[in-house]
Amino acid sequence: MAKNKKPQTNTGNKARTKYEIKMEERKKQEEKDKRDAKMLRIGSIAICAVIIAAIVISIAASIMNKKATTKDAYVTIGNHSVTKLEYDYYYSLLKSNYMTNYASILSYMGVDASQDLDNQQYTEEMTYKDYFDQLTVDQLKQTKALADDAKANQFSYDDAEDYANILSGIESGAKAAGVSESNYYTSMYGKYATKKNIEPFIREGLLAEEYYNYLIEQNTPGEQEIKDYYAENVQNFDRVDYHSFSFPANAGADASEEDLNKAMADAKNKADAMMKARKEGTGFKELCHENASEENKAVYENEETNPSLREGAYYSSTPQSISGWLYEDGRKEGDIAVLEDADNNQYYVVEFVKRYYDEADDENISNMISSEKVSEYIQGKMENYTVTDLKGELKYLTLEDAAAQE
């Protein structure tokens, strides 16, 4: 007889309702979302840590740069440690002075102040950066030597008024430039320059300058010393009055040598004719008017002026082609000559009026004597102020050392 079969129950594979499946999926998604959120937080923390680290490194680098510039020795001048801040202050002053007072000359020589001076040649070996480095070091040596000597000789000087004037000038400069004073200090004297931290440099410079003036006064020569100096340098201090007129050779820039020689011969004939007319009594100014080009005739028509006459000229300021003749011993009033200026392809007609010494030059001679004495004194002091380039930035020193070893 067949046994009754009971239905089997599979407890391991119980059928799930749709609700149970939905709730299970939601639970899995929630767990995934929690894991993702945790990873996002971990990633965000890591990114923030990197950013913070970069900021900290940047701040630290800035602090280190500032310390290196304002506290650490950049070069040594004798026994003095000079920071980059002080060095930049002197460098900026010298560069600004040259760019302001010699702008046309530097421009003529091809210097572009707006560009990096390290890429512009001063000589075959030196750049303009090297040149200004050399000037800066020389100025630092002189300032330190003068300031030290002033203190050693107990030289006293109240710099309050002079210092206030400098600050006033800086304030005016900032206003004129339309910037704050703090920005003006950094733009003029270096990245980390402030009113406070460059004060010692300004005051030391004022002391050195005032002590230099004191030395000049202390070395003022007496009357006899001035006369003796003049006697040894007569030609440098005598003045001359003279008339002159030039006849240029009318030859083009591309003229052949033969054409140029013909043009020079023609210019000499004209000059000889003018000299002959002058010796016969025609006035020098009148002859200049006759021989001047049409566009220049009006220059000689003013009765109150005489462009042909030059008065009080020094030997050094007269054209080389005529200075020797003017200063020859025995030259007397009325002497006249035709002189060739081969360098400029022209001939001069020159008439001597007089040669003399102006006693007003006593002061110039006095200043020259005292300046020479003081300069020699300072140079002697500066010999003890050796320079050590601690950072290896002053390339001109390497060039000087190499030249000394040759």
Side-chain angles (χ1 to χ4, degrees):
M1 182 175 179
K3 295 182 179 180
N4 295 328
K5 294 182 180 181
K6 295 182 179 179
Q8 295 180 353
T9 303
N10 189 354
T11 58
N13 294 292
K14 182 180 178 180
R16 294 175 297 166
T17 67
K18 291 182 178 181
Y19 175 78
E20 289 174 330
I21 294 172
K22 184 176 182 180
M23 291 302 294
E24 184 175 348
E25 289 177 349
R26 177 179 293 179
K27 183 176 180 181
K28 290 180 179 179
Q29 184 63 44
E30 288 176 351
E31 290 176 350
K32 181 178 182 300
D33 289 344
K34 288 180 181 179
R35 288 195 303 273
D36 291 346
K38 183 177 180 180
M39 293 300 294
L40 180 62
R41 287 196 301 272
I42 293 172
S44 297
I45 292 171
I47 292 172
C48 288
V50 171
I51 294 173
I52 292 171
I55 293 172
V56 169
I57 291 171
S58 177
I59 293 173
S62 178
I63 293 172
M64 292 297 291
N65 287 337
K66 184 175 183 180
K67 177 182 178 296
T69 300
T70 60
K71 301 295 183 182
D72 297 347
Y74 182 68
V75 297
T76 58
I77 308 289
N79 295 324
H80 298 274
S81 292
V82 175
T83 64
K84 186 68 164 55
L85 176 71
E86 183 175 6
Y87 186 89
D88 286 347
Y89 167 78
Y90 278 92
Y91 183 93
S92 298
L93 282 181
L94 281 163
K95 180 182 174 183
S96 176
N97 176 59
Y98 268 73
M99 294 305 176
T100 300
N101 297 321
Y102 306 103
S104 59
I105 297 175
L106 291 172
S107 177
Y108 175 78
M109 296 174 68
V111 181
D112 186 348
S114 66
Q115 300 299 317
D116 187 357
L117 294 178
D118 216 0
N119 296 323
Q120 302 181 64
Q121 292 301 126
Y122 173 65
T123 64
E124 187 175 340
E125 294 83 15
M126 290 177 64
T127 66
Y128 271 93
K129 171 65 166 57
D130 298 328
Y131 174 62
F132 283 118
D133 278 331
Q134 187 177 42
L135 292 177
T136 299
V137 170
D138 287 344
Q139 184 61 57
L140 276 163
K141 288 173 67 176
Q142 179 172 307
T143 300
K144 298 299 181 185
L146 281 166
D148 287 347
D149 201 51
K151 294 170 185 175
N153 289 299
Q154 298 181 331
F155 175 77
S156 60
Y157 159 57
D158 183 1
D159 65 4
E161 182 178 353
D162 289 335
Y163 181 66
N165 288 336
I166 289 177
L167 293 185
S168 178
I170 292 174
E171 182 181 351
S172 298
K175 288 181 179 178
V179 298
S180 66
E181 281 192 39
S182 60
N183 286 339
Y184 189 78
Y185 274 97
T186 56
S187 65
M188 289 296 294
Y189 307 118
K191 183 177 180 180
Y192 297 107
T194 66
K195 176 180 178 180
K196 182 179 180 180
N197 64 19
I198 70 168
E199 179 180 346
F201 315 149
I202 296 176
R203 291 189 181 276
E204 185 176 56
L206 287 171
L207 173 63
E209 182 180 7
E210 190 67 18
Y211 185 63
Y212 175 84
N213 294 334
Y214 166 78
L215 291 176
I216 291 290
E217 292 177 3
Q218 294 299 110
N219 286 276
T220 299
E223 183 178 344
Q224 187 58 49
E225 190 174 358
I226 292 174
K227 289 181 178 179
D228 292 342
Y229 191 91
Y230 165 68
E232 295 173 1
N233 301 274
V234 171
Q235 185 168 276
N236 293 334
F237 292 100
D238 272 0
R239 300 171 184 247
V240 291
D241 296 348
Y242 66 95
H243 293 277
S244 69
F245 185 83
S246 63
F247 289 90
N250 293 320
D254 298 327
S256 64
E257 184 177 353
E258 181 180 358
D259 289 339
L260 179 58
N261 289 336
K262 288 180 179 179
M264 283 291 284
D266 182 54
K268 186 177 187 305
N269 289 334
K270 292 177 181 178
D272 288 339
M274 178 175 171
M275 180 175 66
K276 181 175 181 295
R278 174 62 183 137
K279 287 181 176 180
E280 291 173 352
T282 307
F284 201 97
K285 182 180 177 182
E286 181 182 347
L287 289 168
C288 290
H289 182 270
E290 289 179 8
N291 287 280
S293 60
E294 289 301 320
E295 60 268 24
N296 290 328
K297 284 187 182 296
V299 175
Y300 297 97
E301 292 172 357
N302 188 333
E303 295 181 358
E304 296 181 359
T305 61
N306 187 353
S308 74
L309 176 63
R310 185 173 180 191
E311 298 177 295
Y314 292 107
Y315 180 88
S316 60
S317 64
T318 57
Q320 289 185 353
S321 55
I322 67 175
S323 57
W325 182 84
L326 286 168
Y327 279 83
E328 280 182 2
D329 291 338
R331 185 68 57 218
K332 61 183 182 298
E333 183 176 359
D335 285 354
I336 188 169
V338 171
L339 302 171
E340 182 183 12
D341 180 2
D343 291 337
N344 297 296
N345 298 324
Q346 62 183 352
Y347 278 90
Y348 280 101
V349 177
V350 184
E351 181 177 339
F352 181 83
V353 178
K354 63 179 178 178
R355 174 177 172 175
Y356 55 96
Y357 174 74
D358 188 339
E359 290 186 355
D361 280 327
D362 281 356
E363 184 176 353
N364 292 331
I365 292 177
S366 175
N367 291 336
M368 290 185 68
I369 293 173
S370 55
S371 294
E372 287 174 3
K373 289 181 179 179
V374 173
S375 178
E376 184 178 352
Y377 177 77
I378 294 172
Q379 288 298 321
K381 294 290 183 181
M382 289 171 60
E383 289 178 0
N384 299 321
Y385 287 73
T386 56
V387 180
T388 304
D389 179 11
L390 299 176
K391 303 297 182 180
E393 297 287 339
L394 306 180
K395 292 185 289 185
Y396 87 90
L397 288 174
T398 304
L399 295 173
E400 287 185 348
D401 291 341
Q405 293 174 4
E406 290 180 356

